[in-house]
Amino acid sequence: MTEQVLKLGIPAGSLQKATVELFGKAGFHILDSDRSYVPRIDDEEIRLIMLRAQEMSRYVEDGVLDAGITGHDWITENTSDVVEVCELAYSKATNKPARWVLAVPDESKVRKPEDLAGGIVATELVNVTKAYFAARKVDVKVEFSWGATEVKARLVDAIVELTETGTSLRANNLRVIDTVVSSTTRFIANKQAWQDRFKREKIENISILLNAAINAMSKVGLKMNVRKSGLDSVLKVLPAEKSPTVSSLADSDYVAIEVIIDDKIERSLVPALKRAGASGIITYPLNKVIH
Amino acid sequence: MTEQVLKLGIPAGSLQKATVELFGKAGFHILDSDRSYVPRIDDEEIRLIMLRAQEMSRYVEDGVLDAGITGHDWITENTSDVVEVCELAYSKATNKPARWVLAVPDESKVRKPEDLAGGIVATELVNVTKAYFAARKVDVKVEFSWGATEVKARLVDAIVELTETGTSLRANNLRVIDTVVSSTTRFIANKQAWQDRFKREKIENISILLNAAINAMSKVGLKMNVRKSGLDSVLKVLPAEKSPTVSSLADSDYVAIEVIIDDKIERSLVPALKRAGASGIITYPLNKVIH
Amino acid sequence: MTEQVLKLGIPAGSLQKATVELFGKAGFHILDSDRSYVPRIDDEEIRLIMLRAQEMSRYVEDGVLDAGITGHDWITENTSDVVEVCELAYSKATNKPARWVLAVPDESKVRKPEDLAGGIVATELVNVTKAYFAARKVDVKVEFSWGATEVKARLVDAIVELTETGTSLRANNLRVIDTVVSSTTRFIANKQAWQDRFKREKIENISILLNAAINAMSKVGLKMNVRKSGLDSVLKVLPAEKSPTVSSLADSDYVAIEVIIDDKIERSLVPALKRAGASGIITYPLNKVIH
Amino acid sequence: MTEQVLKLGIPAGSLQKATVELFGKAGFHILDSDRSYVPRIDDEEIRLIMLRAQEMSRYVEDGVLDAGITGHDWITENTSDVVEVCELAYSKATNKPARWVLAVPDESKVRKPEDLAGGIVATELVNVTKAYFAARKVDVKVEFSWGATEVKARLVDAIVELTETGTSLRANNLRVIDTVVSSTTRFIANKQAWQDRFKREKIENISILLNAAINAMSKVGLKMNVRKSGLDSVLKVLPAEKSPTVSSLADSDYVAIEVIIDDKIERSLVPALKRAGASGIITYPLNKVIH
Amino acid sequence: MTEQVLKLGIPAGSLQKATVELFGKAGFHILDSDRSYVPRIDDEEIRLIMLRAQEMSRYVEDGVLDAGITGHDWITENTSDVVEVCELAYSKATNKPARWVLAVPDESKVRKPEDLAGGIVATELVNVTKAYFAARKVDVKVEFSWGATEVKARLVDAIVELTETGTSLRANNLRVIDTVVSSTTRFIANKQAWQDRFKREKIENISILLNAAINAMSKVGLKMNVRKSGLDSVLKVLPAEKSPTVSSLADSDYVAIEVIIDDKIERSLVPALKRAGASGIITYPLNKVIH
Amino acid sequence: MTEQVLKLGIPAGSLQKATVELFGKAGFHILDSDRSYVPRIDDEEIRLIMLRAQEMSRYVEDGVLDAGITGHDWITENTSDVVEVCELAYSKATNKPARWVLAVPDESKVRKPEDLAGGIVATELVNVTKAYFAARKVDVKVEFSWGATEVKARLVDAIVELTETGTSLRANNLRVIDTVVSSTTRFIANKQAWQDRFKREKIENISILLNAAINAMSKVGLKMNVRKSGLDSVLKVLPAEKSPTVSSLADSDYVAIEVIIDDKIERSLVPALKRAGASGIITYPLNKVIH
């Protein structure tokens, strides 16, 4: 009988804290992730290991792991043959995709990739960068960089580096020439594990719960009381695609309305609802939202 | 066409963390506030700058900023001519107003302000302190103190220093003679910005959302099921000024009651409700409460 | 007239942070617990003091404190004559009871307590350990250990040490021989204080609120809309012992269902509900749950 | 053949850093003392273990350790029968002996030990404290305190607590009634180990080197050139008990003088030597001074 | 009889650590400077207080302090009438004087002070800045800045800010227009204290010892053996202004040479001496050098 | 004219702090190494850059740098064609060469490299590891590991990892099978820079000074006075290869002896000298020792 355990890799480093928090919101509590590369989790059917995002897809492809979380960039860099279960739209600071950009010092004469012909480019993402220049038929030497790549922009001719907000590039007085590749976080599975009934169901359940928690992060519950006579004008203010829950109240002149909204629109919606006659407006946090 | 951006100052220093958290609860996510004096915010119509509370009102008055958050004390000290949009009742530790007190060493012979005639008083709040003594016709030399004012109480004759809980005064064995001025946090606007339609609406929206978040901090939602026959005795236990939402249930002998209460009274209310016959009592956290 | 104040001891050290958080969830805000052994609390009828769990029960027995929070292990060790108000099932990492185990180095020949006859055992829990060996009629010398007991396992013959997860034992290559005693956290009261009307009611209120907060930690609220025709199949999925609140909706074909569930079962329940036809499923966090 | 290794205990806690530095100055380099209770040392004939000073003498007496460093206070408290090799006059902040003092709150009416009759005294040093009161025929209950003793001064009637500079007592507004016992650091040995030729020589060598390093800490080397005709007046300025090394110089009118002096007197000596006609005065640091 | 104590102010903040270390090298050990504004010192004739450099000279002028250490910049800003005992050439990072510079954003059109006419300049050094512009007959509004002045360069028109290495200006993309004033650290005394025999001698002794320690920081002792026949060629390599100590050796063909040199020239001197025939060359650290 | 500047790479990471300290002892003061990858140095002829040791030799080979400090292991891994100027025997914890070892879990059945045929080996040192197995004709898949290699020992079949003291291997319960390569730190130069007169002299001077500082770290100066009649017996105790400096004293019955010794032998030498009749024995620290 096959052991009923899913070997799951989670990313060490910059996504580590956000990942542990996301699992917590999804209902899986991870312990000791600050001290151990094999943190405990309160689900006996999962065995966790923390690895760098860079090498995750290779271990999933080899079957050393059944599933893992990593970036699209590194799956491509490693040319790993794995199942992409879903995208996971959580991240360090913003929800924009991270970009690997070709950058040069502000004072460089380089304006376009072609200007780098014959030069040296330093990057952690060697294969993707080579493919990028090959596609443009530009002959450059691509060198592997062991971190702190920005500082090398003034040693070599250009760098290809990851940026989410551009802060680090600006602090190093670097100028972006082009985006080499964009990337978001992915939940991936080993191809054989995906054929195993237990493992696939486990992976899918984790996927549903992680996504329900991700949805809930940017949403709030909103409740208010509305006089029946004013119901239409209130409903018009609400986003069209939402179907609010309208409950009967003891006072039959009023109904209670409850709806889940994006926290982004809460900023403009709440004042509008008040003007439309709603009373007792509150918003409350959510743990999970399942569409 | 005027640029549709609000230049908003938020206080660096002791209120900084609480302010960033408050904006988060209000729906505005501030990034990098630990590393940058110009932190990012997820609203393209706002440009943030962090400044010390002491100098905020001068920059708002000059129009360098459209609006800002600072203390009543520093608005007075700087005699700044600005619009006070609202009070913001959040703070570091308690919700009592902070006080600037006149203090002397425990062992000092000074018992009242008049005993300081001819002496030296050290303070960060020079103008307010001068006005305080002038109003009492007591002739003292008021010296500006660059921080760590408590330690100077034994170098000069008295100090005027900010205290929220008295802890630091007690730790320095100082005795309070009088309160010079009380102060709470204020949201202020530049007079011209207040006349600009876009800026005023933006300021007012921020004010509504910050206050809704502040309200929510000290409140919880409470739900319970009550047998219709016992409804009156339960309603009597609830605070009179609250109008609870009473929903019909499928089981027509029961109704569901929901009400927003102060978390302070929750401590005594919950046991009382139980005794009055309510069942399935839960309380849940709130993000915003709009009166 | 007796002073209407409850002197309450809370544990310093490993449970300190969790205790302050628990009180916060229960509605009591504790300030300065990082800096002071007499932290402030926003309830004028309580005076707090932080002490090590080891000595708490002695001060409660003496009446120096009216009530306190400590472990069953230390009440036994100190043979303190106090009232046990309730168990408080919160803890550092897991919710399993902590165990004091008899442990030896991996390479030791000791396999059972009897093998230690004539040897030395180091522990913080001297009296309980002596009683354990006396009950087995094994003659050992039990020495008091001032912390870092694991390291002494290779100096003496065995140790009796607290373990929650076994991590520290494994890291020190120690092997568990037996469990000497299990322990959970308890809320205890002085016997005379328990006879005082004000103090007893205060202690009972704190107990209700702490337990309501503890309950809420492992539960979530769940809401969904269900077509009346599908109600039975949805209700069958829900845990039998829960009675869900079924509310009428304006659209009379549907009802809204709300239920409080363990966050552990949420992982399997949510997918099942979706399959059973529920829509608009959300879960939300709770502050308190009163059974 | 007996194993040629000395089992040596060094104190964990407040003396730990100073001890590791002292061994370094003595020529023994200790590694990993921040991470391990069995730190490595670059001498294959020594095996180190770090223990609390409180329990050191018991393990030395039992022969679990051959030698150790601890305080006179704890040797007495444990009534340990060990060899005192020497005093080691290094410490955390000053070189004054640490004192265990009987202290009460500033506001207490207690003025002398006798005023405590019938009361409770909290202390870590239970046996010494009991002996102190027994010698005065004062009947008190002495309770063991698990750290943070100062805070208990207001729970019980008095405390007996260690103080080096009085800072912590003042910060807690405590008043000293009496000194119960003074204590300095001691190097102790097990009685049987002291009879072992290898161990005794090893202990004595360590003792010589530690003391040579301690001597060097408060001394500096001083060199200067002096015209022969002025030699007497310079020598008169030097401390009488020192015999300076007078070297011949190539220029036969001058001699070079070198002497080891206390760094305390350097403050007054250097200006005096200059006035007496010395030139080229320098002082330099020392590693070891052997009398 | 006047109390034989010198009240001495030392600078809190950026110079604090370097000052405590300098006093240590001079033979005065300062304790608790991290925790207390009135740190202890092992000289009963000195009472220390730590104050910000900004306000030091005012307290020395008033006689609240007898002497103090501060910058020339703040003595000028406060127009304090004090005795300048000596310059103390130690500092945070380099030994270059710190400069207050007039700076603008890189992208500003301002090229010279006159371009700022009608603008606003933010600075901590208000009076000196006003005098600077008055001397150039440029009309600007000078505003007091409470720290983080660099960030204000983009709020107002220019700043006057302290820079030692330019790092912070570059990191904020600011361009230097002019140096407003240079400043080094000074030891200052109150005028009356300077007339008091005890205080003046104490101040002068401290001055001698601090300067002896400062001298020693950039110097090393150098020793070598030289064959008499090669002495001249070795002496030629040594700096002309130094008179080396030449000692006789037992082997009369050789002499030992000892000389104090700048550690800067050690880099080139040591290889040259080796080539000139010196043997057994060593250098060693110094505590004090008295010229 | 060529620019008279040496571009010098120093290692970021585990050797960084030790390298900055070594340069300081050698007389070169490096600033900002904690904050900047291009730290400043107080020598205008040197331009520093901090890079990972892993990539240093590639940049030196390319001429991007003139010289650099890195490990022998990485020079080999990169098969870089550079000049090895000298070995630099300083390091993190001990002075033993670091070793890259082939390791497996304690519980693995693998006993020798051949047992790994067909398996996977994870390492940072891919090329050296491939060569190691190729030389043994063992067919393994060598995978690049992005740090935390120890934890992968239980994912794949074996690892090749750097170890200095074995602590980390033991903590992960790994067993060493073989040493793949030993490595010490090297000072390397670019081949063309080595032909440039200015650069070569600069590199050689740095090499002399770094080595003089390294020598001094493990040595002390020792001085003592000896009666002439006892000189022979003292000299016999001193290490034979050392020629002590014997100076004449004013008291012609005595001579002063000075010698540089290894601090390792100081532990046994000092007691022996005392027994042989030496008096006034002191040892003092050294900055540089040139053989």
Side-chain angles (χ1 to χ4, degrees), chain D residues 75-233:
Chain D
I75 304 169
T76 309
E77 174 72 13
N78 295 328
T79 57
S80 299
D81 189 20
V82 295
V83 179
E84 265 198 42
V85 180
C86 64
E87 189 175 323
L88 293 172
Y90 73 107
S91 97
K92 283 173 289 182
T94 68
N95 282 314
K96 295 188 198 155
R99 294 181 304 139
W100 288 87
V101 295
L102 177 64
V104 295
D106 278 347
E107 67 275 14
S108 164
K109 286 177 185 163
V110 171
R111 297 285 153 189
K112 54 186 188 306
E114 288 70 20
D115 298 346
L116 286 163
I120 302 179
V121 177
T123 184
E124 263 194 298
L125 203 69
V126 170
N127 293 328
V128 172
T129 300
K130 282 180 175 167
Y132 168 87
F133 282 105
R136 278 159 189 74
K137 300 192 194 306
V138 179
D139 180 39
V140 300
K141 184 174 179 191
V142 179
E143 292 239 40
F144 178 62
S145 165
W146 298 74
T149 308
E150 287 94 339
V151 79
K152 287 166 200 154
R154 283 176 174 79
L155 281 184
V156 296
D157 299 291
I159 61 169
V160 171
E161 179 57 332
L162 186 65
T163 183
E164 214 171 340
T165 63
T167 307
S168 178
L169 295 174
R170 275 192 301 276
N172 284 282
N173 296 312
L174 301 180
R175 178 163 42 84
V176 173
I177 298 291
D178 194 11
T179 295
V180 172
V181 69
S182 287
S183 179
T184 55
T185 306
R186 306 291 164 94
F187 189 22
I188 58 173
N190 172 269
K191 290 201 151 182
Q192 275 169 291
W194 193 245
Q195 299 310 319
D196 178 278
R197 196 185 144 144
F198 162 77
K199 290 183 179 175
R200 182 165 184 165
E201 188 178 317
K202 194 79 195 171
I203 290 169
E204 285 177 337
N205 276 351
I206 294 170
S207 169
I208 289 172
L209 292 162
L210 292 177
N211 279 296
I214 291 171
N215 284 338
M217 282 186 218
S218 60
K219 291 192 171 18
V220 294
L222 183 150
K223 290 182 196 182
M224 57 193 156
N225 293 338
V226 183
R227 184 177 275 271
K228 278 180 180 167
S229 59
L231 185 58
D232 281 354
S233 56

Side-chain angles (χ1 to χ4, degrees), chain B residues 225-236 246 249 251-257 276-278:
Chain B
N225 293 338
V226 182
R227 184 177 274 271
K228 276 180 181 165
S229 59
L231 187 57
D232 280 354
S233 58
V234 164
L235 292 181
K236 251 179 261 164
V246 181
L249 292 181
D251 176 344
S252 60
D253 288 348
Y254 281 86
V255 288
I257 294 188

Side-chain angles (χ1 to χ4, degrees), chain A residues 173-187:
Chain A
N173 297 309
L174 301 181
R175 178 162 42 84
V176 172
I177 298 292
D178 195 10
T179 294
V180 171
V181 69
S182 287
S183 179
T184 56
T185 306
R186 307 292 164 93
F187 189 22

Side-chain angles (χ1 to χ4, degrees), chain D residues 165 223 225 250 266-267 281 283, chain E residues 27 42 246 258 284 287-288:
Chain D
T165 63
K223 290 182 196 182
N225 293 338
E266 186 190 3
R267 302 205 293 233
I281 307 172
T283 68
Chain E
D42 62 346
V246 181
E258 187 155 6
Y284 60 93
N287 279 352
K288 291 200 187 59

Side-chain angles (χ1 to χ4, degrees), chain C residues 169-236:
Chain C
L169 293 175
R170 275 192 300 277
N172 284 281
N173 297 311
L174 301 181
R175 176 162 45 82
V176 172
I177 297 292
D178 194 11
T179 295
V180 172
V181 69
S182 287
S183 178
T184 56
T185 307
R186 306 291 164 93
F187 189 21
I188 58 173
N190 172 271
K191 291 201 148 178
Q192 275 169 290
W194 194 243
Q195 300 310 320
D196 177 277
R197 197 188 144 141
F198 161 77
K199 290 183 179 175
R200 183 165 181 165
E201 189 179 318
K202 194 79 197 171
I203 290 169
E204 285 177 337
N205 276 352
I206 294 170
S207 169
I208 288 171
L209 292 162
L210 292 178
N211 279 297
I214 291 171
N215 283 338
M217 281 185 221
S218 60
K219 292 192 169 17
V220 294
L222 182 149
K223 290 183 195 180
M224 57 193 156
N225 293 338
V226 183
R227 184 177 275 271
K228 278 181 178 163
S229 58
L231 187 57
D232 281 354
S233 57
V234 164
L235 293 181
K236 250 178 262 164

Side-chain angles (χ1 to χ4, degrees), chain B residues 239-253:
Chain B
E241 79 282 8
K242 306 279 170 187
S243 61
T245 299
V246 181
S247 324
S248 318
L249 292 181
D251 176 344
S252 60
D253 288 348

Side-chain angles (χ1 to χ4, degrees), chain D residues 33-67:
Chain D
S33 59
D34 288 344
R35 286 176 301 177
S36 169
Y37 285 93
V38 284
R40 288 178 295 141
I41 187 167
D42 62 345
D43 183 327
E44 302 192 345
E45 295 177 345
I46 301 176
R47 198 167 297 154
L48 282 189
I49 190 153
M50 281 203 316
L51 293 172
R52 297 282 297 271
Q54 287 94 324
E55 55 195 344
M56 187 71 73
S57 69
R58 290 200 274 107
Y59 289 109
V60 172
E61 183 183 9
D62 291 354
V64 169
L65 299 176
D66 294 317

